[in-house]
Amino acid sequence: MKTKYFIVAGLLIVLLALVTSGQAMSQEKRVVMDRSQVRELNPEDINDWRGKTVMIFAPHPDDDLSPAGTMAKLVKNGNKVIVVVYTTGNKGSRDLEMTSERLAQIRKQEDIAANKILGIKEENIIWLGYDDGMLEYVPEKELCEKVCWLIRKYRPDAVFCHDAGTDWMQWHKTDHRMSAFITLDGARAAAYHLYFPHHRIYEDLQPFTVMDYFFWGSHEPNYNVDITDVIELKFEAACQHVSQFGKGNFKYTGPVMDTEDKENIRKRYMRKGPDGKMYENFRRLQGSRSF
Amino acid sequence: MKTKYFIVAGLLIVLLALVTSGQAMSQEKRVVMDRSQVRELNPEDINDWRGKTVMIFAPHPDDDLSPAGTMAKLVKNGNKVIVVVYTTGNKGSRDLEMTSERLAQIRKQEDIAANKILGIKEENIIWLGYDDGMLEYVPEKELCEKVCWLIRKYRPDAVFCHDAGTDWMQWHKTDHRMSAFITLDGARAAAYHLYFPHHRIYEDLQPFTVMDYFFWGSHEPNYNVDITDVIELKFEAACQHVSQFGKGNFKYTGPVMDTEDKENIRKRYMRKGPDGKMYENFRRLQGSRSF
Amino acid sequence: MKTKYFIVAGLLIVLLALVTSGQAMSQEKRVVMDRSQVRELNPEDINDWRGKTVMIFAPHPDDDLSPAGTMAKLVKNGNKVIVVVYTTGNKGSRDLEMTSERLAQIRKQEDIAANKILGIKEENIIWLGYDDGMLEYVPEKELCEKVCWLIRKYRPDAVFCHDAGTDWMQWHKTDHRMSAFITLDGARAAAYHLYFPHHRIYEDLQPFTVMDYFFWGSHEPNYNVDITDVIELKFEAACQHVSQFGKGNFKYTGPVMDTEDKENIRKRYMRKGPDGKMYENFRRLQGSRSF
Amino acid sequence: MKTKYFIVAGLLIVLLALVTSGQAMSQEKRVVMDRSQVRELNPEDINDWRGKTVMIFAPHPDDDLSPAGTMAKLVKNGNKVIVVVYTTGNKGSRDLEMTSERLAQIRKQEDIAANKILGIKEENIIWLGYDDGMLEYVPEKELCEKVCWLIRKYRPDAVFCHDAGTDWMQWHKTDHRMSAFITLDGARAAAYHLYFPHHRIYEDLQPFTVMDYFFWGSHEPNYNVDITDVIELKFEAACQHVSQFGKGNFKYTGPVMDTEDKENIRKRYMRKGPDGKMYENFRRLQGSRSF
Amino acid sequence: MKTKYFIVAGLLIVLLALVTSGQAMSQEKRVVMDRSQVRELNPEDINDWRGKTVMIFAPHPDDDLSPAGTMAKLVKNGNKVIVVVYTTGNKGSRDLEMTSERLAQIRKQEDIAANKILGIKEENIIWLGYDDGMLEYVPEKELCEKVCWLIRKYRPDAVFCHDAGTDWMQWHKTDHRMSAFITLDGARAAAYHLYFPHHRIYEDLQPFTVMDYFFWGSHEPNYNVDITDVIELKFEAACQHVSQFGKGNFKYTGPVMDTEDKENIRKRYMRKGPDGKMYENFRRLQGSRSF
Amino acid sequence: MKTKYFIVAGLLIVLLALVTSGQAMSQEKRVVMDRSQVRELNPEDINDWRGKTVMIFAPHPDDDLSPAGTMAKLVKNGNKVIVVVYTTGNKGSRDLEMTSERLAQIRKQEDIAANKILGIKEENIIWLGYDDGMLEYVPEKELCEKVCWLIRKYRPDAVFCHDAGTDWMQWHKTDHRMSAFITLDGARAAAYHLYFPHHRIYEDLQPFTVMDYFFWGSHEPNYNVDITDVIELKFEAACQHVSQFGKGNFKYTGPVMDTEDKENIRKRYMRKGPDGKMYENFRRLQGSRSF
């Protein structure tokens, strides 16, 4: 019943949004529209989602930790999570013996292990394979097309990525900057068949409009997800990234994390809010006002 | 008399600005200066402008709607308005039968019709012809030079464009981002003869300093223009963009807007403020502190 | 004694920072770490610095004036200041007789003279030689590598540059924008040996982590330096930039500044705060939370 | 028996080539080498090939006609032919009513039909989807990587492409120039695992060395293939490209070629050599001397 | 009568060419074709040309000297010559006092004076304004579009440019290389309306096919023009380029060439062939086989 | 005495060349010319050179082997040889255990060892540090400037590099292509002070004209150097490149070359000409006709 209510509310919202952005259409016309163009809004409460497809766009193989609790919950509720990782993370080590090819291999395994704990299968992780720290120097149009292609292919009900909002300017790794922008740019391009039209001509990939965005790392969060009951999963996932957190970043000795480092991670993750619960915060942008 | 007052005030402001930015000069020296270097500031109240040249830089053929009411007023008062449109808008349709060449042609006609209603002639619209959605992927220096050339050619008393301020980061089409920045960059380059010096060598285009900017779409507006008496013109102009607003975006059937769609647009445009009037809001930046 | 206190406090802060960012390590391990990886934080009070190396990254040959008072103090206290100037400033003249090669030569001499007054030697000024106003159009990866190389070479205890924060968006010369970002990007790359690994392979340049940033031109300053006792030096340094401030920008007649122009500069520089002192303000970012 | 002879001869040649290029190895060591590194040379006579995989890299959807006779023969003999088409050919029409999206669709169908006649299945045609005439303006490194990936994926016994030799300089469409070079560059990169190493890390794509190249359009042909018995297939394939040859290029009216145009094509294709046979000529480059 | 003969012959040739390249059409159909698509070939003998439009594409302001004799003859016979100069030539001086802006101005005047002698008016010289020696680093697609636009605008009966053939590889200034290629690339793009379609949409510039190319500096010349009777004009034109030839390149002292330098130029220009005549040699490419 | 003869002859040739290229000057004027502009030509016979500075530009750390015999002779005769290596060679291994950082280190040591045998000191090897196989994707203008800077810095009497002539087109590694062109382009830029003028302004690097080029790998060699008496040195130098020639390319096991591989290399190097001698062949380009 709650679900039904949200569907109705969602439809009202999407119609309102379309009207507001000057793309209104009469209700009786909707049935003849292409199926990709008009869809119900997602339920407001992410806990009510079932059977949804969610995509995460992470610049490095450990940035998917940011929304990891939310992902664990979504998977438990029968939603599908696709993780897109822009770079191989092949520079992020202070171990002077480490080489870039070896680091890429280590971090791939770490991320697979971490996602497995969250319930995300290896085949749902997509590796774009760019060099760590170099994402801003990749030809943008080509990168935009890749994101566009992925969006048209997987047609996600929601997209999670870094916030491209104002705050990141103060200090941001270049890859974070780029991933924040290009994810939005690619997603927007996906909505119109005349962008990269060969996707449709050669692969029958139809346009698709993302209707729900969740930005992590935002200074203007407007949506919280209670992850108290999955915090242990998130903690365990974080502990897979041995090459990144703790001594492994200075001297990598294998895929098992040092006890002391684990303890430090635990302390960071177990910070509770005033209500004794733990949250992941997002800036959420729903509807199509963005176009 | 009011005008006179503003001229005096303006001169004081510009001198103050020049002093502040370390570019002061003694008043008796001014007569020998190049005419392009020192000009009076525009009257503070845009309603007092006569015989001014104003340039709008719009990323798409309908973005010139944002300051359309202000433009209508300026034209009525005997000012000249030049509209520069960066892209052809050739991707912005959800009509799966639409092609990019056809859409470019349709939107050109829509924008000509819209501007005609505002009193802006077709010969005052300059089409740069870039692909819609691809402005960020255009070589920047070349684009900057084109803007610089246009500024030196038309020597506008004011420039209107998207706000390149902080807010746009949260969500902005790539073209909006790029047009906001490149308009400012090109305008700044125009002020110094050593940028793109062949403009002066081959075409005798002298340097020119823009002294008055109006940014639309800003979250920090500091200047309002009452457009109540031209709101019908603005509304009619908007209704020319059939391919963009309403059903025409989903299925284009010709250049006349559907009644229902018109009604929706009217509702959006007729929102009045607490004082019963309608305004266009800008962030205005006057003087030369920017250099 | 105060110094000692700060060392202890600094160590606590850096350890905290490392823990927070997941890169903690046990204290007994630290001795075996590479010396470049762990260093004490700088004293909180910049007046307490002795024997430090500080780098300024300035887009133009006069932008190093922004922190000039602070630099004068640092030099007096026995610290070393390295000035990196991105562009030659070869466009910044309204004198229609000026040519770009000549302007580059003039501004080089102006900047050498200005820095000499502050106590910074000519051999500590590094000229990257880019064209004024064109820094955003330089290949970014190559520029990033140059900054990275300089950081690894000079291993600065602190870096001063334009603020890459949110505010600059409203109005910023393109070179300022680019210098703000690329300084941070290059400095970050310097911290990991796998970025531009040939630096280490061919020149034995080890990775280096910048632990203290001071951003000038920020709207969110959090650190003030009292420059009252060196304000005359700063003023005299400013007066060397004859081609930039006052009549010399409109008609360059030689390296001695006009009396009237000097007076205008003096007025600007001598603005005192409520406490009768003069300050330079920075946004300071200390520790390694940025990684 | 002839085959066996060629295998022996081929092995001798490849060993010689490896020795010559300084990459010799003792025969007893070969068994421990990675299987991708050492392979027998193809039979000298292409008519003797069975079970081989051949890749064609064509800039436009009709350039695969150049070696079409040879392809028809190879397919008949049980070899697999993969056609890679760089661009959509979406500019190549003089029909002023034609649009680029429509032309791309038409040419896709034409090429599928043409290849079907030669015995090449639709699923063996790979469309890279670039804009016609713009291949030289595509980021080269990205394009090189795509070719490299395809080579590693399909591991062809021979590659056919435009000649990158000296002659093409006199007159060559830009796409031909680019496809000639980038095919070689990508194929060379494919041979070493350290180029684009993420192919191996993420997709287990092992390095692969192309050992046999056939360049069409060469002024220095050194290898002829008698296509007399498949000339009708080639002719029929050519006649599928209605939008390109004859009146369809000036006014496209549908997928059936005009009788007169067919007659003209036939005349061109049926030119016999002095021996009464018809040939396709190639510059062939066999072995690994190229590295 | 001779003219008539050539028209007939030319028509036969162009038809043959079209047939050969698969673009034949029946003669009765030609009247309905767009006028831009089918034109008569130029007379074989350039001395027979009347009322033709010829375009030269020169990388530097003195490269138009290469075909200067031919141009003088064409102008005398009532043809129109348009000179396009890619760069300002602003680097080509060994005079250490010279600056780039000043050199650009000097060379502009030299080229105007030289062309005036040949009968080419200042208004028929088009300056693209690029930096000398930097043409290869200009964004190619944008440069290609500019050439394409010029071709569509002026619709030349013949194009003269550097040879993009094989020989130039051995030693060629980068600008020569680039101008040779990009002239051909832009001219080819001009032939199809779907390249840079906004030319047609916004400016009604129709596609245009260049049918006659003359390449200078070729090692495979196939066409000679007897310039004996205009050699004095060519010599005088060369003598205008004081900043380039002789002492003026080492120390520029004004626009009048030194007597000794003139004598040296005369010696070079007055070299006669075995038949006592002087020629300009070209590789000529006529018809549309190039497409 | 022979030397003297060559000096006179050389002077005549250079004067002739200058006259021919329109840059003649009277002999009495020469003393006032900048010293960098006019220099004697090198002796025709390279065996007569003493005290010369020679620069080699090699794309990979083993390409300097091509002129190794000639270098050994030059060093013996008291000339200085500077080796510039564009890339680290960090991709050129078929050893699947090899990583790029390790390969760069190995090849650096190999090249140092090889050059030591030839008499070239480690401090005379300049490593530009680019990624192997990626030289064509490096921003060209930046690369050109680096070569220009090196030429102005070291002021070589002769430059050795790959041939940029016609032949390389048939098959050339991309790095070879790029190094051939960019070496010439950078060397040409070095001759004019207005290219990269900051070299002169900031570092007092004066323009310099290369007067003698030797291209290896040419199909049009016109100059032979008898290296019979240094062939053992060249052979030993080659044997240092263990990671490249022979089994070390497939499985690197350390810096000592396998006996069998050495034998293969010996066979290749000891090929004698009909006169029983061994030669290195070059296409030589002397004088300034190239400008």
Side-chain angles (χ1 to χ4, degrees), chain D residues 155-182:
Chain D
R155 313 180 85 71
D157 296 285
V159 160
F160 285 71
C161 64
H162 268 282
D163 195 352
T166 62
D167 175 69
W168 60 269
M169 284 295 167
Q170 293 199 8
W171 191 278
H172 231 299
K173 299 183 195 181
T174 61
D175 293 340
H176 291 194
R177 249 181 349 231
M178 186 53 151
S179 76
F181 278 118
I182 211 73

Side-chain angles (χ1 to χ4, degrees), chain A residues 20 22 24 26 34 37 140 144 164 166 181 184-185 188 192-195 200 209 213 220 283 285 290, chain B residues 90-91 93-96 98 132-134 136-137 166 169-171 173-174 177 245-246 260 264 268:
Chain A
T20 308
S26 63
D34 180 275
Q37 306 293 347
E140 282 186 65
C144 179
T166 62
F181 278 117
L184 294 183
D185 295 349
R188 185 178 175 277
Y192 292 93
H193 69 101
L194 291 172
Y195 286 101
R200 186 160 158 253
T209 305
Y213 291 92
E220 295 166 318
R283 180 163 70 84
L285 184 66
S290 48
Chain B
N90 62 347
K91 309 288 183 190
S93 172
R94 294 172 187 266
D95 179 348
L96 296 177
M98 186 61 73
D132 187 6
M134 299 288 149
E136 277 208 337
Y137 315 138
T166 61
M169 284 297 167
Q170 293 199 7
W171 190 277
K173 299 182 195 182
T174 61
R177 246 174 3 224
F245 306 140
E260 197 176 59
N264 286 326
R268 277 200 294 147

Side-chain angles (χ1 to χ4, degrees), chain D residues 39-220:
Chain D
R39 302 189 317 279
E40 292 174 10
L41 284 186
N42 294 325
E44 175 66 20
D45 185 346
I46 211 169
N47 291 295
D48 295 331
W49 295 12
R50 301 290 180 275
K52 299 286 182 192
T53 297
V54 167
M55 289 182 88
I56 303 178
F57 287 83
H60 308 102
D62 62 341
D63 288 315
D64 46 12
L65 281 178
S66 291
T70 305
M71 293 309 112
K73 293 190 84 169
L74 284 170
V75 171
K76 280 193 178 182
N77 286 337
N79 302 286
K80 179 180 182 178
V81 175
I82 312 258
V83 178
V84 180
V85 187
Y86 282 103
T87 76
T88 64
N90 62 345
K91 310 287 183 189
S93 172
R94 293 171 188 267
D95 180 348
L96 296 177
E97 302 297 316
M98 186 61 73
T99 65
S100 54
E101 287 87 4
R102 191 173 156 232
L103 185 56
Q105 285 168 318
I106 289 169
R107 296 192 68 176
K108 178 195 172 194
Q109 294 308 326
E110 290 176 352
D111 206 25
I112 289 172
N115 277 299
K116 192 178 176 187
I117 288 167
L118 303 172
I120 299 166
K121 295 175 200 162
E122 181 175 347
E123 67 252 37
N124 286 344
I125 310 177
I126 295 163
W127 314 92
L128 295 187
Y130 289 100
D131 277 338
D132 187 5
M134 300 289 149
L135 202 60
E136 276 207 338
Y137 315 137
V138 165
E140 282 187 63
K141 191 177 167 186
E142 279 61 35
L143 190 52
C144 180
E145 182 184 342
K146 285 193 187 175
V147 174
C148 175
W149 188 91
L150 289 166
I151 296 284
R152 287 172 173 171
K153 175 89 175 173
Y154 292 102
R155 313 180 85 71
D157 296 285
V159 160
F160 285 71
C161 64
H162 268 282
D163 195 352
T166 62
D167 175 69
W168 60 269
M169 284 295 167
Q170 293 199 8
W171 191 278
H172 231 299
K173 299 183 195 181
T174 61
D175 293 340
H176 291 194
R177 249 181 349 231
M178 186 53 151
S179 76
F181 278 118
I182 211 73
T183 304
L184 294 182
D185 294 349
R188 186 178 175 278
Y192 292 94
H193 68 100
L194 291 171
Y195 286 99
F196 311 115
H198 51 283
H199 293 174
R200 187 161 158 254
I201 295 171
Y202 291 115
E203 306 181 70
D204 196 34
L205 287 176
Q206 299 300 321
F208 181 83
T209 305
V210 175
M211 302 285 277
D212 216 352
Y213 291 91
F214 294 79
F215 304 109
W216 69 70
S218 178
H219 273 221
E220 295 166 315

Side-chain angles (χ1 to χ4, degrees), chain E residues 43-54:
Chain E
E44 175 66 20
D45 186 347
I46 210 168
N47 291 296
D48 295 331
W49 295 12
R50 301 290 180 276
K52 299 287 182 191
T53 296
V54 166

Side-chain angles (χ1 to χ4, degrees), chain E residues 152-199:
Chain E
R152 287 172 173 173
K153 175 86 175 174
Y154 293 101
R155 312 181 85 72
D157 296 286
V159 159
F160 285 71
C161 65
H162 269 283
D163 194 353
T166 61
D167 175 69
W168 60 270
M169 284 296 167
Q170 293 198 8
W171 191 277
H172 231 299
K173 298 183 196 181
T174 60
D175 293 341
H176 292 194
R177 251 182 345 232
M178 187 53 152
S179 76
F181 278 118
I182 210 75
T183 305
L184 294 182
D185 295 348
R188 186 177 174 278
Y192 293 93
H193 69 100
L194 291 171
Y195 287 100
F196 311 116
H198 50 283
H199 292 174

Side-chain angles (χ1 to χ4, degrees), chain B residues 95-127:
Chain B
D95 179 348
L96 296 177
E97 301 299 314
M98 186 61 73
T99 65
S100 54
E101 286 87 5
R102 192 174 156 233
L103 184 57
Q105 287 168 317
I106 289 170
R107 296 193 68 176
K108 178 196 173 195
Q109 295 308 327
E110 290 176 351
D111 206 26
I112 290 172
N115 277 299
K116 193 178 176 187
I117 289 167
L118 304 172
I120 300 166
K121 295 176 200 160
E122 181 175 348
E123 67 252 36
N124 287 343
I125 310 177
I126 295 162
W127 314 93

